[in-house]
């Protein structure tokens, strides 16, 4: 079980949001590159970057901070990026810059043809981020709830050839209320590609519960607010995940 630290970027700073609300941002660092180095030194084996401004603008906005992170750690571990990735040219630039994976969210729902083309052009590098509440997919920085069922969409994306699915329960994200294990497992059981859990990770017990369902296809979890405010020690959590996966 891999624990992936999240670095959410807003106006060049490392922040965390509550339930995706930009006005509910807590700044944790003015140097995202230093924060990235910190997580690598603590044992992170992958990083999850989100360009929050980009997610709302529809194109990358925190490019200087993003490139600084890649210069700092890009040769050490895989780094994945989401937020405002809406065309093939942007994907190509991201991969050329050194990202291992790009995450497509809103554009996957609104323009499935684009997602299909991306999987063909960049096989093995495309992750889809599915954000949902009560089983229904949300788009546009979580501001719009659609009528699409999470599992139905995920199956379609699997057929396109996406590398994995990041499933976020937006009712829990940033709230430290625990991962929605049941919904995450239900999704993983319906797919053959890996599922990465996101939203609500809060303590070691969450890690133990995730390790217990790893065989169902839940291979990793994204850690956000909990590792920033100290309620979860990242190094101890990854050690526990490694032990629980044996």
């Amino acid at each position: 079980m891999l624990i992936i630290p999240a670095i959410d970027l807003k106006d060049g700073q490392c922040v965390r949001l509550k339930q995706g609300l930009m006005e509910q941002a807590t700044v944790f660092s003015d140097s995202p590159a230093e924060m990235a180095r910190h997580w690598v030194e603590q044992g992170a084996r992958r990083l999850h970057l989100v360009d929050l401004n980009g997610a709302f603008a529809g194109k990358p906005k925190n490019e200087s901070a993003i490139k600084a992170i890649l210069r700092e750690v890009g040769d050490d571990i895989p780094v994945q990026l989401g937020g405002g990735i809406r065309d093939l040219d942007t994907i190509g630039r991201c991969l050329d810059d050194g990202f291992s994976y790009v995450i497509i969210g809103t554009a996957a729902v609104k323009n499935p043809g684009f997602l299909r083309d991306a999987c063909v052009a960049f096989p093995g590098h495309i992750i889809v981020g599915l954000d949902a509440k009560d089983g229904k997919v949300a788009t546009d920085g979580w501001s719009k709830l659609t009528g699409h069922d999470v599992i139905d969409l995920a199956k379609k994306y699997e057929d396109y050839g996406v590398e994995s699915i990041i499933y976020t329960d937006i009712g829990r994200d940033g709230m430290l209320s625990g991962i929605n294990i049941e919904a995450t497992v239900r999704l993983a059981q319906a797919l053959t590609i890996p599922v990465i859990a996101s939203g609500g990770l809060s303590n070691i017990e969450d890690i133990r519960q995730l390790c217990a369902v790893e065989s169902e296809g839940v291979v990793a979890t994204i850690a956000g607010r909990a590792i920033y405010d100290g309620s979860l020690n990242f190094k101890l959590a990854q050690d526990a995940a490694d032990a629980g996966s044996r």
Side-chain angles (χ1 to χ4, degrees):
M1 178 65 58
L2 194 64
I3 302 174
I4 307 173
I7 298 178
D8 289 359
L9 301 166
K10 178 177 181 282
D11 303 332
Q13 298 174 310
C14 174
V15 307
R16 293 302 299 167
L17 305 185
K18 284 188 177 179
Q19 296 185 302
L21 299 173
M22 290 288 269
E23 63 271 21
Q24 292 283 338
T26 303
V27 177
F28 283 100
S29 175
D30 290 325
S31 176
E34 288 182 11
M35 186 58 70
R37 172 53 58 191
H38 168 75
W39 294 128
V40 171
E41 290 174 350
Q42 290 296 304
R45 301 198 287 270
R46 190 192 288 198
L47 290 179
H48 175 80
L49 270 57
V50 180
D51 184 339
L52 294 171
N53 301 103
F56 283 87
K59 58 183 178 180
K61 288 289 187 180
N62 284 280
E63 292 187 7
S64 61
I66 288 168
K67 288 182 178 180
I69 290 170
L70 287 173
R71 285 194 300 270
E72 185 67 35
V73 303
D75 292 334
D76 297 342
I77 60 171
V79 185
Q80 60 197 41
L81 174 69
I85 297 172
R86 309 279 166 87
D87 59 70
L88 295 179
D89 286 344
T90 300
I91 295 174
R93 284 198 304 273
C94 289
L95 296 177
D96 287 344
D97 285 343
F99 283 101
S100 298
Y101 307 99
V102 297
I103 303 158
I104 301 174
T106 292
V109 180
K110 292 188 169 183
N111 188 358
F114 159 62
L115 177 64
R116 188 188 297 110
D117 290 345
C119 290
V120 170
F122 307 104
H125 296 286
I126 306 300
I127 296 173
V128 165
L130 281 178
D131 308 325
K133 187 174 184 180
D134 300 325
K136 300 300 181 183
V137 174
T139 62
D140 298 278
W142 302 353
S143 63
K144 297 177 182 176
L145 200 61
T146 73
H148 294 294
D149 179 80
V150 169
I151 291 177
D152 289 345
L153 272 187
K155 284 182 175 179
K156 181 190 294 185
Y157 300 158
E158 179 178 45
D159 290 341
Y160 291 172
V162 301
E163 194 276 335
S164 56
I165 299 283
I166 297 174
Y167 175 69
T168 303
D169 185 321
I170 64 176
R172 300 193 184 207
D173 189 76
M175 303 303 289
L176 302 180
S177 55
I179 293 278
N180 189 334
I181 299 286
E182 182 181 348
T184 305
V185 169
R186 196 159 52 240
L187 177 62
Q189 288 174 335
L191 304 172
T192 58
I193 57 175
V195 171
I196 299 171
S198 176
L201 182 72
S202 59
N203 53 45
I204 288 290
E205 181 55 33
D206 288 332
I207 302 298
R208 294 193 183 101
Q209 289 185 41
L210 285 166
C211 287
V213 299
E214 188 172 10
S215 61
E216 303 288 352
V218 184
V219 301
T221 184
I222 293 171
R225 182 172 290 273
I227 60 173
Y228 283 93
D229 70 10
S231 57
L232 181 67
N233 180 295
F234 173 79
K235 188 176 187 308
L236 294 179
Q238 184 61 71
D239 289 346
D242 290 341
S245 297
R246 292 189 187 116

